Amino acid sequence: MSYPFSYYQESADLLRSKIGSFQPEVAMVLGSGLGFLGDVVKDAVTVPYGEIPHFQVSTAPGHKGQLVFGTLAGKKVAVMQGRMHHYEGYSYEDVSYAVRVLKLLGCDKLIVTNAAGCVNTAWKAGDLMLITDQIKLFLESPLRGENLPEFGPRFPDMSHVYTPAFQEIARTSAKELGIDLKEGVYCYFPGPQYETPAEVRAARILGGDACGMSTAPEVIAAAHAGMQILGFTLLTNMAAGILDQPLSEQEVLDAAEACKDKFSKLVLSCLEKM
Ligand code: HPA
């Protein structure tokens, strides 16, 4: 189904009733390993997704399922602790719903982070990647159905989805922190099964450097709504078929935990400059 614009307004109205005159500037969608940043937001107002009309709840492991409003790195933020994924059974419209609501609340900027498999064989598990572009082939778009012109045009341009000026900020922050930040293309696979080795080879031929099950749908909706976007991937494991070992969720969670210090420092340093 296509949600009417009034749904988004109703969700935003409920949130406004909770946060009063607080005006978030930067929305943050935090994936595996970085959700804890929501816990260090200052003067936090927390709203569980279940209390917001028309919101879905996130069921993925390590995803808390709440919005946290407050101050982080000196910026007024709205942090999604937990995101919705298509593999949980949600439509792409549901997956990207919250980002549109945060846009209505005044967030013109978005930070997205995720954990993903490393497709680029020159890199290693534990590396961080600045997302410079994305591939989301096939399956429907979150923008399918009636266009809501309140958010953006019917056929939005996707030439510079990840904002070049934000990429520069990330490069500067990485240099300051001594972090070897890779740069590359995030290739979306819907999951929940990990990719096959043949799919990983296909992603590489197509120009992908990382493969994962999130981010791309929300980013399409955010770009449609004219948000400026900064994205990072934590490469938690070599993608399927590169090493002679099976992939496991535990490996992903362990790697996310091991890298969270370096990852959070980078994200906070960028946030400060945005
Ligand atoms: N593939 C897809 N999603 C992932 C992976 C992967 O290898 N690792 C962490 N999330």
Side-chain angles (χ1 to χ4, degrees):
M1 76 178 268
S2 284
Y3 295 128
F5 187 64
S6 60
Y7 273 37
Y8 296 95
Q9 286 176 312
E10 284 162 23
S11 302
D13 285 346
L14 179 284
L15 289 168
R16 275 192 208 102
S17 77
K18 302 271 184 190
I19 60 177
S21 61
F22 179 80
Q23 163 78 68
E25 313 160 64
V26 186
M28 302 177 75
V29 184
L30 302 175
S32 308
L34 278 196
F36 80 96
L37 280 181
D39 299 330
V40 299
V41 168
K42 287 201 201 104
D43 305 318
V45 175
T46 299
V47 186
Y49 294 159
E51 290 182 14
I52 310 168
H54 316 301
F55 252 60
Q56 310 293 333
V57 294
S58 54
T59 64
H63 289 250
K64 271 190 181 171
Q66 57 189 23
L67 268 168
V68 184
F69 295 90
T71 308
L72 194 61
K75 287 284 186 316
K76 290 178 179 166
V77 296
V79 179
M80 283 186 72
Q81 272 188 314
R83 56 154 55 96
M84 282 49 109
H85 303 80
H86 189 63
Y87 66 71
E88 294 171 83
Y90 298 127
S91 69
Y92 284 119
E93 198 178 12
D94 288 330
V95 168
S96 53
Y97 187 89
V99 162
R100 286 180 147 184
V101 172
L102 294 177
K103 166 74 184 182
L104 288 185
L105 287 180
C107 294
D108 289 324
K109 300 170 185 173
L110 172 69
I111 298 181
V112 285
T113 76
N114 58 58
C118 184
V119 170
N120 188 321
T121 52
W123 302 346
K124 58 185 191 310
D127 280 347
L128 288 176
M129 184 185 92
L130 171 66
I131 309 176
T132 56
D133 207 347
Q134 68 181 31
I135 298 174
K136 182 188 176 297
L137 294 172
F138 315 120
L139 295 171
E140 70 196 47
S141 161
L143 308 179
R144 178 171 177 260
E146 185 192 349
N147 184 52
L148 295 177
E150 294 89 342
F151 287 113
R154 170 75 293 187
F155 301 110
D157 175 51
M158 292 279 138
S159 299
H160 297 288
V161 167
Y162 294 90
T163 307
F166 286 176
Q167 295 183 40
E168 266 314 300
I169 288 176
R171 292 181 191 108
T172 303
S173 284
K175 207 179 266 177
E176 285 169 5
L177 293 164
I179 292 172
D180 174 22
L181 181 62
K182 310 298 188 195
E183 298 188 17
V185 173
Y186 179 86
C187 192
Y188 174 81
F189 286 88
Q193 75 285 3
Y194 288 116
E195 300 72 30
T196 64
E199 286 166 341
V200 170
R201 287 196 298 277
R204 190 177 304 121
I205 289 166
L206 291 174
D209 295 291
C211 56
M213 307 175 196
S214 68
T215 303
E218 299 103 296
V219 161
I220 291 172
H224 175 246
M227 295 169 87
Q228 292 185 288
I229 303 165
L230 174 64
F232 292 106
T233 291
L234 168 58
L235 300 159
T236 49
N237 55 281
M238 296 313 286
I242 296 179
L243 304 176
D244 188 18
Q245 62 187 48
L247 271 49
S248 80
E249 184 186 330
Q250 197 54 48
E251 177 191 15
V252 170
L253 295 175
D254 289 349
E257 180 65 23
C259 296
K260 73 181 201 187
D261 229 44
K262 148 174 108 163
F263 200 3
S264 59
K265 278 194 182 118
L266 178 62
V267 169
L268 292 176
S269 167
C270 292
L271 179 58
E272 218 171 69
K273 299 184 179 81
M274 285 170 69

